[in-house]
Amino acid sequence: DYRDIKKNLRLFPNPFLSNTTLEFELSGSINVSISILDVFGKTVKNISTSKFERGVNRITIDLSELKPDIYFCLIKTDADVQIAKLLKR
């Protein structure tokens, strides 16, 4: 598989009130950048830029400061990008 981030990306709960958990699987131990974008593609929160281990990773994201709306979770590596839709109540 040529992808760094495997296809079983999950955000739960979704919709959420203040916190959501991001679960993603990596094909290797690599640097990952995670950020939250609004519907216009503007970064509203940078979550992490760090090395994650191969396999399933979980990170809890506190988005209590954001207003209720639709957002996107952007996960990037040097060779891959995945986006997941989020709904804050």
Side-chain angles (χ1 to χ4, degrees):
D1 195 343
Y2 71 96
R3 300 191 84 101
D4 288 338
I5 306 164
K6 302 203 176 183
K7 291 188 180 190
N8 52 349
L9 175 71
R10 292 189 336 139
L11 285 155
F12 56 92
N14 189 17
F16 68 98
L17 294 173
S18 60
N19 294 325
T20 189
T21 298
L22 168 64
E23 183 180 275
F24 57 99
E25 186 174 353
L26 298 175
S27 60
S29 181
I30 49 177
N31 289 320
V32 178
S33 172
I34 302 168
S35 53
I36 304 299
L37 311 177
D38 65 14
V39 293
F40 302 106
K42 180 183 171 197
T43 300
V44 294
K45 185 165 186 172
N46 286 310
I47 305 302
S48 175
T49 302
S50 57
K51 191 168 193 171
F52 287 85
E53 297 304 314
R54 178 182 180 171
V56 176
N57 291 269
R58 279 194 191 110
I59 184 170
T60 299
I61 303 170
D62 178 5
L63 298 173
S64 56
E65 76 278 7
L66 298 180
K67 67 181 175 93
D69 207 343
I70 295 169
Y71 296 94
F72 297 92
C73 182
L74 177 69
I75 304 165
K76 290 195 303 186
T77 68
D78 286 340
D80 201 2
V81 175
Q82 294 285 322
I83 298 175
K85 185 172 159 181
L86 279 165
L87 178 60
K88 180 167 185 200
R89 292 185 196 197

